């Protein structure tokens, strides 16, 4: 057997062990969540499609997790340098932070951002945010919104383009049909999978993929333009979260990816690229159609970057909540329900740092997408939709080599 063959075998075995450990940590947290664990008893892996194909480890205490993670780290260190090793090293760092928290440790917000989430720490570049605001300004002027401040013109555009409440369902179904057709043709055949619209209120999120229930939860405390609703359909369903769940399951079932590809929804380092696929969804299926879509793309860049800075201001610099809210109102120009939802998420002891995964993930996927050649595109989609990735491992593409189940 060649050294390459041995590495492949080890990698698949490591994938199974990593999955077993992660599922064991998930089960432990769900069992002990009512005893004050920072995850709140909601588990570590919100959606898992592997059934009992990989038996979960059984943990009586946190030390068992730490021992298994340490032992697995030794196996990973023996792998050849490359994207696979880079991803596994990042995932292990991430899970070690979770174990630390489950054991009563209190890692700093900075540590959770860099090691748990895998995103860069610190405020986002103010000049970059201002440049994105300038592009929003130019696009609004092009569309005829010329009176008032930039924030006033954003509000005027959102109000003018807002979908009436009674038409949300109709527009949602139209966008779902088109996004599915494009996804099935360009990305992955999603078969007969579908989602229904589920209006919710008083949530910190704008929308959520409730895959197991077949629902796209939509926070109707907010109003939505067609461009905004299209983005959410692409992010949550086609070709975003639901599509990635279906594609990784197919890849694992068909021996084209290790078992850890089923861990893409884990509240860990996998989340960045998962959110990046969602935020780049409309680009991946060539669904940017008009000026409103272009405005929304740039406006989302402003808001995604600004929420990172806001989270850092609140959780690291200790700035007063209302001052941070004013920053989001003035710089990100978000609706009040969005502003309050962002602050609620940032302050959560476990999910707070994941607010930085949206910008980090979008940039990770965007940068690779924009440099991929036409000839590399199929391999890029395979790397993106069949495997678990971290921002650093994805950035190594086209070095990424699709693994196959060893004979």
């Amino acid at each position: 057997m060649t050294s390459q063959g041995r590495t492949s075998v080890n990698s698949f075995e490591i994938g199974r062990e990593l999955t077993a450990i992660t599922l064991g940590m998930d089960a432990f947290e769900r069992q002990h969540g009512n005893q004050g664990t920072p995850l709140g008893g909601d588990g570590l892996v919100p959606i898992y499609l592997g059934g009992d194909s990989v038996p979960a480890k059984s943990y009586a205490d946190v030390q068992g997790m730490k021992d298994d993670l340490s032992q697995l780290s030794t196996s990973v260190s023996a792998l050849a340098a490359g994207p696979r090793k880079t991803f596994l090293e990042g995932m292990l760092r991430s899970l070690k932070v979770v174990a630390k928290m489950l054991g009563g440790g209190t890692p700093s917000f900075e540590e959770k951002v860099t090691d748990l989430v895998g995103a860069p720490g610190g405020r986002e570049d103010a000049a970059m945010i201002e440049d994105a605001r300038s592009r929003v300004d130019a696009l609004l002027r092009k569309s005829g919104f010329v009176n008032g401040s930039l924030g006033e013109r954003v509000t005027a555009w959102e109000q003018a383009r807002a979908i009436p409440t009674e038409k949300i369902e109709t527009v949602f179904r139209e966008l779902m049909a088109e996004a599915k057709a494009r996804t099935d043709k360009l990305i992955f055949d999603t078969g007969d999978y579908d989602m229904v619209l589920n209006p919710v209120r008083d949530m910190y999120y704008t929308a959520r993929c409730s895959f197991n229930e077949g629902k796209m939860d939509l926070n109707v405390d907010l109003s939505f333009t067609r461009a905004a609703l299209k983005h959410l359909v692409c992010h949550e369903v086609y070709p975003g979260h639901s599509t990635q769940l279906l594609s990784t399951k197919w890849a694992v079932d068909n021996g084209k990816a290790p078992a850890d590809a089923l861990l893409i929804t884990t509240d860990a380092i996998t989340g960045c690229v998962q959110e990046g696929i969602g935020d780049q969804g409309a680009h991946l299926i060539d669904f940017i159609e008009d000026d409103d879509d272009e405005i929304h793309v740039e406006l989302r860049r402003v808001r995604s970057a600004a929420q990172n800075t806001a989270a850092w201001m609140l959780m690291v610099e200790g700035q007063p909540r209302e001052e941070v809210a004013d920053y989001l109102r003035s710089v990100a120009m978000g609706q009040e329900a969005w502003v309050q939802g962002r602050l609620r998420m940032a302050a959560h002891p476990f999910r707070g740092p994941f607010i930085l995964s949206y910008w980090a993930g979008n940039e990770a996927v965007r940068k690779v997408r924009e440099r991929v050649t036409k000839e590399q595109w199929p391999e890029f989609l395979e790397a993106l939709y069949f495997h678990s990735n971290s921002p650093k491992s994805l950035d190594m593409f086209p070095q990424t080599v699709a693994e196959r189940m060893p004979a």
Side-chain angles (χ1 to χ4, degrees), residues 332-354:
M333 304 166 289
Q335 298 174 46
E336 190 61 22
W338 177 83
V339 170
Q340 297 303 324
R342 296 297 84 190
L343 295 176
R344 284 172 59 189
M345 180 178 180
H348 191 282
F350 183 71
R351 290 181 179 80
F354 286 95

mmCIF file of all heavy atoms in Angstrom, residues 332-354:
data_model
loop_
_atom_site.group_PDB
_atom_site.id
_atom_site.type_symbol
_atom_site.label_atom_id
_atom_site.label_comp_id
_atom_site.label_asym_id
_atom_site.label_seq_id
_atom_site.Cartn_x
_atom_site.Cartn_y
_atom_site.Cartn_z
ATOM 1 N N ALA A 332 -24.935 50.342 10.070
ATOM 2 C CA ALA A 332 -25.528 49.208 9.347
ATOM 3 C C ALA A 332 -26.920 49.508 8.820
ATOM 4 O O ALA A 332 -27.427 48.792 7.963
ATOM 5 C CB ALA A 332 -25.573 47.978 10.253
ATOM 6 N N MET A 333 -27.554 50.530 9.365
ATOM 7 C CA MET A 333 -28.853 50.987 8.848
ATOM 8 C C MET A 333 -29.892 49.871 8.878
ATOM 9 O O MET A 333 -30.687 49.702 7.959
ATOM 10 C CB MET A 333 -28.694 51.561 7.429
ATOM 11 C CG MET A 333 -27.674 52.682 7.341
ATOM 12 S SD MET A 333 -27.168 53.103 5.661
ATOM 13 C CE MET A 333 -26.191 51.665 5.208
ATOM 14 N N GLY A 334 -29.861 49.094 9.971
ATOM 15 C CA GLY A 334 -30.769 47.957 10.075
ATOM 16 C C GLY A 334 -32.077 48.321 10.742
ATOM 17 O O GLY A 334 -32.157 49.286 11.518
ATOM 18 N N GLN A 335 -33.112 47.538 10.453
ATOM 19 C CA GLN A 335 -34.386 47.704 11.129
ATOM 20 C C GLN A 335 -34.193 47.423 12.621
ATOM 21 O O GLN A 335 -33.327 46.650 13.019
ATOM 22 C CB GLN A 335 -35.425 46.762 10.535
ATOM 23 C CG GLN A 335 -35.720 47.024 9.057
ATOM 24 C CD GLN A 335 -36.646 45.975 8.462
ATOM 25 O OE1 GLN A 335 -37.657 45.609 9.052
ATOM 26 N NE2 GLN A 335 -36.289 45.484 7.280
ATOM 27 N N GLU A 336 -35.012 48.032 13.454
ATOM 28 C CA GLU A 336 -34.820 47.940 14.896
ATOM 29 C C GLU A 336 -34.872 46.504 15.401
ATOM 30 O O GLU A 336 -34.100 46.112 16.294
ATOM 31 C CB GLU A 336 -35.848 48.797 15.625
ATOM 32 C CG GLU A 336 -35.585 48.943 17.110
ATOM 33 C CD GLU A 336 -34.251 49.618 17.434
ATOM 34 O OE1 GLU A 336 -33.702 50.351 16.579
ATOM 35 O OE2 GLU A 336 -33.748 49.386 18.555
ATOM 36 N N ALA A 337 -35.771 45.691 14.861
ATOM 37 C CA ALA A 337 -35.841 44.289 15.292
ATOM 38 C C ALA A 337 -34.543 43.562 14.965
ATOM 39 O O ALA A 337 -34.100 42.681 15.728
ATOM 40 C CB ALA A 337 -37.033 43.592 14.631
ATOM 41 N N TRP A 338 -33.913 43.914 13.849
ATOM 42 C CA TRP A 338 -32.619 43.321 13.479
ATOM 43 C C TRP A 338 -31.537 43.775 14.453
ATOM 44 O O TRP A 338 -30.730 42.959 14.920
ATOM 45 C CB TRP A 338 -32.255 43.717 12.050
ATOM 46 C CG TRP A 338 -30.917 43.218 11.601
ATOM 47 C CD1 TRP A 338 -30.612 41.985 11.103
ATOM 48 C CD2 TRP A 338 -29.674 43.956 11.615
ATOM 49 N NE1 TRP A 338 -29.267 41.900 10.807
ATOM 50 C CE2 TRP A 338 -28.671 43.085 11.114
ATOM 51 C CE3 TRP A 338 -29.323 45.242 12.001
ATOM 52 C CZ2 TRP A 338 -27.340 43.478 10.988
ATOM 53 C CZ3 TRP A 338 -27.988 45.637 11.878
ATOM 54 C CH2 TRP A 338 -27.012 44.755 11.381
ATOM 55 N N VAL A 339 -31.503 45.067 14.766
ATOM 56 C CA VAL A 339 -30.508 45.602 15.700
ATOM 57 C C VAL A 339 -30.589 44.876 17.042
ATOM 58 O O VAL A 339 -29.576 44.403 17.578
ATOM 59 C CB VAL A 339 -30.709 47.119 15.898
ATOM 60 C CG1 VAL A 339 -29.834 47.633 17.066
ATOM 61 C CG2 VAL A 339 -30.371 47.883 14.620
ATOM 62 N N GLN A 340 -31.787 44.761 17.583
ATOM 63 C CA GLN A 340 -31.950 44.125 18.884
ATOM 64 C C GLN A 340 -31.619 42.627 18.817
ATOM 65 O O GLN A 340 -31.052 42.065 19.758
ATOM 66 C CB GLN A 340 -33.375 44.339 19.400
ATOM 67 C CG GLN A 340 -33.725 45.801 19.651
ATOM 68 C CD GLN A 340 -32.779 46.479 20.621
ATOM 69 O OE1 GLN A 340 -32.308 45.870 21.589
ATOM 70 N NE2 GLN A 340 -32.480 47.760 20.376
ATOM 71 N N GLY A 341 -31.969 41.984 17.717
ATOM 72 C CA GLY A 341 -31.652 40.572 17.539
ATOM 73 C C GLY A 341 -30.162 40.320 17.486
ATOM 74 O O GLY A 341 -29.652 39.334 18.050
ATOM 75 N N ARG A 342 -29.416 41.216 16.822
ATOM 76 C CA ARG A 342 -27.967 41.067 16.749
ATOM 77 C C ARG A 342 -27.328 41.196 18.129
ATOM 78 O O ARG A 342 -26.399 40.446 18.474
ATOM 79 C CB ARG A 342 -27.365 42.105 15.803
ATOM 80 C CG ARG A 342 -27.787 41.990 14.350
ATOM 81 C CD ARG A 342 -27.350 40.703 13.695
ATOM 82 N NE ARG A 342 -28.251 39.600 13.947
ATOM 83 C CZ ARG A 342 -28.000 38.326 13.638
ATOM 84 N NH1 ARG A 342 -26.843 38.006 13.087
ATOM 85 N NH2 ARG A 342 -28.873 37.374 13.886
ATOM 86 N N LEU A 343 -27.812 42.137 18.909
ATOM 87 C CA LEU A 343 -27.264 42.324 20.252
ATOM 88 C C LEU A 343 -27.588 41.135 21.148
ATOM 89 O O LEU A 343 -26.754 40.701 21.953
ATOM 90 C CB LEU A 343 -27.814 43.614 20.861
ATOM 91 C CG LEU A 343 -27.395 44.916 20.160
ATOM 92 C CD1 LEU A 343 -28.087 46.108 20.791
ATOM 93 C CD2 LEU A 343 -25.879 45.091 20.192
ATOM 94 N N ARG A 344 -28.786 40.592 21.015
ATOM 95 C CA ARG A 344 -29.158 39.407 21.794
ATOM 96 C C ARG A 344 -28.272 38.227 21.436
ATOM 97 O O ARG A 344 -27.817 37.486 22.316
ATOM 98 C CB ARG A 344 -30.631 39.056 21.539
ATOM 99 C CG ARG A 344 -31.626 39.948 22.252
ATOM 100 C CD ARG A 344 -33.041 39.650 21.792
ATOM 101 N NE ARG A 344 -33.443 38.262 22.037
ATOM 102 C CZ ARG A 344 -34.560 37.736 21.561
ATOM 103 N NH1 ARG A 344 -35.379 38.449 20.795
ATOM 104 N NH2 ARG A 344 -34.875 36.470 21.840
ATOM 105 N N MET A 345 -28.016 38.041 20.153
ATOM 106 C CA MET A 345 -27.174 36.915 19.753
ATOM 107 C C MET A 345 -25.751 37.100 20.263
ATOM 108 O O MET A 345 -25.146 36.178 20.811
ATOM 109 C CB MET A 345 -27.166 36.760 18.237
ATOM 110 C CG MET A 345 -26.301 35.583 17.778
ATOM 111 S SD MET A 345 -26.312 35.320 15.994
ATOM 112 C CE MET A 345 -25.221 33.895 15.882
ATOM 113 N N ALA A 346 -25.196 38.295 20.101
ATOM 114 C CA ALA A 346 -23.806 38.539 20.490
ATOM 115 C C ALA A 346 -23.580 38.257 21.970
ATOM 116 O O ALA A 346 -22.506 37.790 22.371
ATOM 117 C CB ALA A 346 -23.412 39.973 20.163
ATOM 118 N N ALA A 347 -24.591 38.503 22.788
ATOM 119 C CA ALA A 347 -24.438 38.351 24.230
ATOM 120 C C ALA A 347 -24.628 36.917 24.718
ATOM 121 O O ALA A 347 -24.374 36.620 25.890
ATOM 122 C CB ALA A 347 -25.431 39.272 24.948
ATOM 123 N N HIS A 348 -25.045 36.003 23.830
ATOM 124 C CA HIS A 348 -25.257 34.621 24.264
ATOM 125 C C HIS A 348 -23.903 33.994 24.606
ATOM 126 O O HIS A 348 -22.938 34.109 23.841
ATOM 127 C CB HIS A 348 -25.938 33.816 23.158
ATOM 128 C CG HIS A 348 -26.435 32.473 23.596
ATOM 129 N ND1 HIS A 348 -25.590 31.388 23.763
ATOM 130 C CD2 HIS A 348 -27.680 32.025 23.919
ATOM 131 C CE1 HIS A 348 -26.300 30.345 24.164
ATOM 132 N NE2 HIS A 348 -27.566 30.703 24.267
ATOM 133 N N PRO A 349 -23.795 33.301 25.757
ATOM 134 C CA PRO A 349 -22.490 32.779 26.193
ATOM 135 C C PRO A 349 -21.864 31.756 25.256
ATOM 136 O O PRO A 349 -20.642 31.616 25.233
ATOM 137 C CB PRO A 349 -22.802 32.149 27.558
ATOM 138 C CG PRO A 349 -24.282 31.932 27.576
ATOM 139 C CD PRO A 349 -24.855 33.027 26.742
ATOM 140 N N PHE A 350 -22.675 31.041 24.483
ATOM 141 C CA PHE A 350 -22.109 30.074 23.544
ATOM 142 C C PHE A 350 -22.273 30.517 22.096
ATOM 143 O O PHE A 350 -21.314 30.510 21.322
ATOM 144 C CB PHE A 350 -22.745 28.690 23.727
ATOM 145 C CG PHE A 350 -22.131 27.647 22.827
ATOM 146 C CD1 PHE A 350 -20.848 27.181 23.059
ATOM 147 C CD2 PHE A 350 -22.830 27.145 21.742
ATOM 148 C CE1 PHE A 350 -20.265 26.234 22.226
ATOM 149 C CE2 PHE A 350 -22.260 26.194 20.904
ATOM 150 C CZ PHE A 350 -20.970 25.738 21.154
ATOM 151 N N ARG A 351 -23.461 30.921 21.696
ATOM 152 C CA ARG A 351 -23.692 31.263 20.293
ATOM 153 C C ARG A 351 -23.209 32.659 19.917
ATOM 154 O O ARG A 351 -23.088 32.985 18.744
ATOM 155 C CB ARG A 351 -25.178 31.101 19.951
ATOM 156 C CG ARG A 351 -25.585 29.636 19.932
ATOM 157 C CD ARG A 351 -27.027 29.400 19.589
ATOM 158 N NE ARG A 351 -27.296 27.973 19.581
ATOM 159 C CZ ARG A 351 -27.504 27.240 20.670
ATOM 160 N NH1 ARG A 351 -27.496 27.826 21.850
ATOM 161 N NH2 ARG A 351 -27.710 25.940 20.608
ATOM 162 N N GLY A 352 -22.921 33.480 20.918
ATOM 163 C CA GLY A 352 -22.499 34.846 20.653
ATOM 164 C C GLY A 352 -21.368 34.975 19.642
ATOM 165 O O GLY A 352 -21.482 35.729 18.665
ATOM 166 N N PRO A 353 -20.260 34.262 19.837
ATOM 167 C CA PRO A 353 -19.140 34.423 18.898
ATOM 168 C C PRO A 353 -19.462 33.970 17.472
ATOM 169 O O PRO A 353 -18.788 34.377 16.527
ATOM 170 C CB PRO A 353 -18.031 33.568 19.511
ATOM 171 C CG PRO A 353 -18.728 32.615 20.428
ATOM 172 C CD PRO A 353 -19.908 33.362 20.963
ATOM 173 N N PHE A 354 -20.506 33.147 17.306
ATOM 174 C CA PHE A 354 -20.848 32.685 15.968
ATOM 175 C C PHE A 354 -21.443 33.795 15.102
ATOM 176 O O PHE A 354 -21.619 33.612 13.895
ATOM 177 C CB PHE A 354 -21.809 31.492 16.038
ATOM 178 C CG PHE A 354 -21.130 30.220 16.459
ATOM 179 C CD1 PHE A 354 -21.127 29.825 17.790
ATOM 180 C CD2 PHE A 354 -20.450 29.430 15.535
ATOM 181 C CE1 PHE A 354 -20.483 28.666 18.184
ATOM 182 C CE2 PHE A 354 -19.797 28.275 15.931
ATOM 183 C CZ PHE A 354 -19.813 27.883 17.261
#
